Amino acid sequence: MERTPLQEAVWFFYERLGHRFPAPDWGEQREDVCSICGTEGRGYDDNRPNHRVFRCIACTAFYAPAPDHFLTTGKDRSFAGIVKNPWVLDANGRFRSPIGKASRKDDAFVVNARAHGMDFYSAENPFQTLYRGIYDGEFAFPLLFVRLGQNKIESMRMMRLSTSDMLFFWDKSEMRAFDLALVREAGRLPLGEKPWSDWARWGIPEDLAERVRFLKDVRGKAPFRVLTMHGDNRLFLRQVVDREAGEKTKAEKKKRSRKQ
Ligand SMILES: [Zn+2]
């Protein structure tokens, strides 16, 4: 039977990473229809008070306690319970998840996770490192790009595989879609020329008069479909083209916000 996009995503996860987590001690395996992804086949009943559902083995992998993998004795020791920061899992099974300074994950956690095939590493700007990595071809497509939110079931149901054309990022409770070909086209335009560099950073001005002036200025330099591309794509572009000193950016932003 053909898999739905959701089933493709959860089985992609299971085949590359999820199968490494131990089977849960939630009773015998049996066959039924998964309450999350609808896969019919082997799985487990989760009899814990707040769950009481049947999940296929792929979806179970997100919920199964894996204390040896995550070195924790906390209440929720599962992948979805522990990994709150954004992560990418690519076609070759490469798992990368940058963690910010505020994270409580220590060196022992990072070393142990790496031994289990999960690369957590500290980064100044976790999002930028992932966006840049994807843009620079660090990952093999298709891939999963996700930040699981508090609502695990909702997060899992929204997961979707990204291809080299369309990148989907499930960010807690919001789906972002990026047209990678368009972002690349925009990224090849000369940077550092005003007002293009402004636009790459802040987007096309909202104000109508300013917008018209802006479009007149850059017409000929940038294709129309690049100029009018969706906000998500601009967000992606801002993450990858923001190569100038952070201090300068902050100063310009301040100047801009004073004008408004
Ligand atoms: Zn499932």
Side-chain angles (χ1 to χ4, degrees), residues 10 34 36-39 55-56 58-59:
V10 296
C34 177
I36 293 181
C37 74
T39 298
R55 300 186 202 96
C56 70
C59 290

Side-chain angles (χ1 to χ4, degrees), residues 211-252:
R211 191 184 170 95
V212 170
R213 204 176 326 119
F214 180 88
L215 287 171
K216 267 188 188 158
D217 279 353
V218 294
R219 187 73 50 91
K221 274 193 227 161
F224 193 70
R225 62 188 214 101
V226 167
L227 287 175
T228 53
M229 72 188 197
H230 191 261
D232 277 354
N233 293 327
R234 292 204 303 265
L235 173 95
F236 195 121
L237 197 59
R238 280 203 295 281
Q239 295 283 358
V240 295
V241 301
D242 196 7
R243 288 157 205 257
E244 290 172 55
E247 282 311 306
K248 198 179 158 200
T249 312
K250 267 184 226 158
E252 280 178 29

Side-chain angles (χ1 to χ4, degrees), residues 5-252:
L6 169 60
Q7 288 166 348
E8 276 178 5
V10 296
W11 285 93
F12 179 94
F13 178 86
Y14 182 75
E15 283 152 15
R16 285 160 186 81
L17 184 65
H19 71 275
R20 297 182 189 194
F21 303 135
D25 53 3
W26 298 327
E28 294 294 300
Q29 229 185 64
R30 65 181 188 89
E31 297 211 351
D32 206 336
V33 177
C34 177
S35 62
I36 293 181
C37 74
T39 298
E40 210 177 323
R42 290 182 299 139
Y44 295 89
D45 289 308
D46 186 342
N47 293 321
R48 292 175 296 174
N50 293 329
H51 295 268
R52 299 199 184 286
V53 290
F54 176 86
R55 300 186 202 96
C56 70
I57 53 171
C59 290
T60 295
F62 287 85
Y63 287 85
D68 293 346
H69 293 69
F70 300 115
L71 296 182
T72 173
T73 51
K75 198 165 153 232
D76 190 342
R77 291 166 279 169
S78 67
F79 177 86
I82 300 292
V83 185
K84 297 296 185 197
N85 32 311
W87 49 270
V88 168
L89 177 66
D90 82 357
N92 297 332
R94 184 159 193 228
F95 177 92
R96 271 172 80 74
S97 182
I99 45 184
K101 280 201 178 122
S103 170
R104 269 179 261 149
K105 294 178 173 64
D106 57 16
D107 289 348
F109 173 94
V110 171
V111 170
N112 183 63
R114 199 162 288 158
H116 285 98
M118 290 173 283
D119 187 9
F120 292 91
Y121 57 100
S122 57
E124 283 276 322
N125 185 340
F127 282 101
Q128 191 169 28
T129 59
L130 283 182
Y131 281 109
R132 285 286 289 275
I134 292 167
Y135 187 81
D136 291 341
E138 199 181 301
F139 300 102
F141 290 98
L143 57 80
L144 265 180
F145 184 18
V146 177
R147 176 159 62 155
L148 296 167
Q150 289 300 330
N151 187 340
K152 282 185 238 169
I153 295 179
E154 184 198 36
S155 288
M156 286 186 58
R157 284 204 175 119
M158 295 305 293
M159 284 197 308
R160 194 162 170 186
L161 280 179
S162 300
T163 65
S164 54
D165 295 325
M166 280 305 276
L167 183 78
F168 296 101
F169 173 38
W170 174 252
D171 187 11
K172 282 179 166 178
S173 60
E174 199 179 347
M175 178 61 91
R176 296 189 177 284
F178 307 97
D179 180 336
L180 275 177
L182 192 55
V183 170
R184 289 212 173 86
E185 191 175 336
R188 277 194 296 268
L189 296 170
L191 294 177
E193 283 177 32
K194 305 279 174 185
W196 153 252
S197 59
D198 279 351
W199 168 69
R201 197 164 290 128
W202 292 295
I204 298 177
E206 290 299 325
D207 172 71
L208 190 63
E210 202 187 336
R211 191 184 170 95
V212 170
R213 204 176 326 119
F214 180 88
L215 287 171
K216 267 188 188 158
D217 279 353
V218 294
R219 187 73 50 91
K221 274 193 227 161
F224 193 70
R225 62 188 214 101
V226 167
L227 287 175
T228 53
M229 72 188 197
H230 191 261
D232 277 354
N233 293 327
R234 292 204 303 265
L235 173 95
F236 195 121
L237 197 59
R238 280 203 295 281
Q239 295 283 358
V240 295
V241 301
D242 196 7
R243 288 157 205 257
E244 290 172 55
E247 282 311 306
K248 198 179 158 200
T249 312
K250 267 184 226 158
E252 280 178 29

